[in-house]
Amino acid sequence: MNFPGAAVALLAAAFGFSAPAARAESGDPARGEIVFAAGNCTSCHTDLKNKGPLLAGGRPLQTPFGVFFGPNITRDPVHGIGRWSDDDFVRAMRKGLSPRGEAYFPAFPYPAFTGLTDQDLRDLKAYIFTLPPVPQPNKPHQASFPFNLRLGAAVWKLIYFREGPMVPDPERDAAWNRGRYLVEAAGHCGECHTQRDRLGGLKRAMWMAGSADGAEGKPAPNITPDKDTGIGNWKESDLVYFLETATLPDGDVAGGLMAEVIRYGTGRLSAEDRKAIAAYLRTLKPVVNKIQKAAK
Ligand code: HEC
Ligand code: HEC
């Protein structure tokens, strides 16, 4: 028997450290930290309001179909994803399927994350596995029929889900492709900034043209380059500054969910990545759609 090893294990147990349940198989955590920010995993998987532990879940997400709770995605082996292999993680993000083969509800924005590359997904998992495990049980979702059924989610996927990864457009330069990747795949901006139909599918013709009842029932503005109803009058530098500081060109500050997107997401990216996002948004098709601002 290896006494020093056993002593270390005992000490670790005494101090509440669990043995690493799974290795970071092939990912690079430093690169993964960037994907983590780009996808703003923090917001939905942390009970920010009650200052809950990072990624331990419990955050309620209001949708027209009921309340979904972001689950624990720490590397805790019992309550989190500590026992997941890299392949389990890639399947969840790419295909919207759990390790048991059940369909996830699209309150989890895998319809966007499916666009992430395999390497980025492996790096992302490696980064998450450097964060502390938290033994906090998940809360059951409170959605209404049929949106509470995994089978319903499977049918939804058949109608709306298109599996990635995103393929770069060879006609465009690297910065545009990076911007598209950050906006459409990682940043899942369209999930809030696009109207949905009655079954919760995104209306492609209204892509990024805003949603009167976006996430949590709050309006998300039109961010296409339409001059009257979108952000066509913003300079690229306005947009870059906004994505770092949440300050609008008129000096006002974005609140609610967008403040979170910036605080845990775009504000933690490199200046170059924010510039790529801004430049890409300016190449979207302008769509006329007036969204009333939320009362403050
Ligand atoms: C808009 C909110 C939202 C964001 C942003 C989000 N998630 Fe989730 N995620 C959810 C919800 C809700 C579920 C539960 C889905 C279900 O039960 O079908 C979930 C489920 C998961 C699961 C499956 C967990 C399990 O126990 O089966 C993983 C893994 C996951 N998310 C990883 C991530 C990562 C990594 C990011 C950042 C790139 C991220 N999520 C960003 C809402 C979100
Ligand atoms: C979770 C939902 C959500 C996501 C995801 C999201 N946004 Fe927003 N966004 C909002 C809301 C809500 C507002 C309005 C905030 C306010 O009025 O204070 C907003 C405001 C904005 C504005 C200001 C527009 C204006 O006319 O005032 C811009 C620009 C913007 N978002 C860009 C983005 C980009 C780029 C992404 C992806 C990286 C993104 N958003 C992702 C919800 C979201």
Side-chain angles (χ1 to χ4, degrees), residues 124-141:
L124 173 58
K125 174 171 177 272
Y127 174 69
I128 290 173
F129 274 50
T130 65
L131 301 171
V134 183
Q136 175 170 295
N138 285 329
K139 289 191 181 162
H141 303 313

Side-chain angles (χ1 to χ4, degrees), residues 3-23:
F3 279 102
V8 168
L10 269 175
L11 267 175
F15 285 101
F17 299 125
S18 53
R23 342 145 251 148

Side-chain angles (χ1 to χ4, degrees), residues 110-275:
Y110 62 84
F113 297 151
T114 188
L116 295 169
T117 63
D118 266 20
Q119 191 58 51
D120 273 359
L121 289 172
R122 287 171 201 278
D123 294 344
L124 173 58
K125 174 171 177 272
Y127 174 69
I128 290 173
F129 274 50
T130 65
L131 301 171
V134 183
Q136 175 170 295
N138 285 329
K139 289 191 181 162
H141 303 313
Q142 299 162 359
S144 55
F145 180 83
F147 301 100
N148 55 346
L149 300 180
R150 297 270 165 206
L151 194 61
V155 174
W156 188 94
K157 284 177 67 186
L158 285 177
I159 306 174
Y160 296 106
F161 179 65
R162 296 292 168 270
E163 191 176 319
M166 180 177 278
V167 181
D169 181 346
E171 310 271 294
R172 304 280 197 155
D173 63 14
W176 183 89
N177 276 298
R178 176 72 178 159
R180 180 174 66 142
Y181 184 75
L182 289 169
V183 166
E184 315 260 336
H188 60 277
C189 318
E191 296 281 319
C192 292
H193 285 281
T194 307
Q195 279 173 31
R196 291 176 187 272
D197 63 23
R198 280 170 51 218
L199 293 177
L202 295 172
K203 292 190 186 167
R204 294 281 151 184
M206 301 300 282
W207 192 243
M208 302 283 194
S211 172
D213 56 350
E216 314 215 301
K218 301 271 170 49
N222 181 343
I223 57 169
T224 72
D226 180 62
K227 289 218 183 291
D228 297 322
T229 62
I231 56 171
N233 287 325
W234 291 36
K235 293 200 287 285
E236 188 177 297
S237 55
D238 290 338
L239 205 42
V240 173
Y241 188 67
F242 174 76
L243 294 171
E244 185 182 358
T245 63
T247 310
L248 295 150
D250 64 7
D252 204 357
V253 178
L257 291 168
M258 193 62 208
E260 286 181 22
V261 169
I262 293 168
R263 178 154 189 204
Y264 302 104
T266 57
R268 299 185 181 201
L269 295 175
S270 67
E272 204 182 355
D273 275 348
R274 278 190 292 272
K275 199 164 180 309

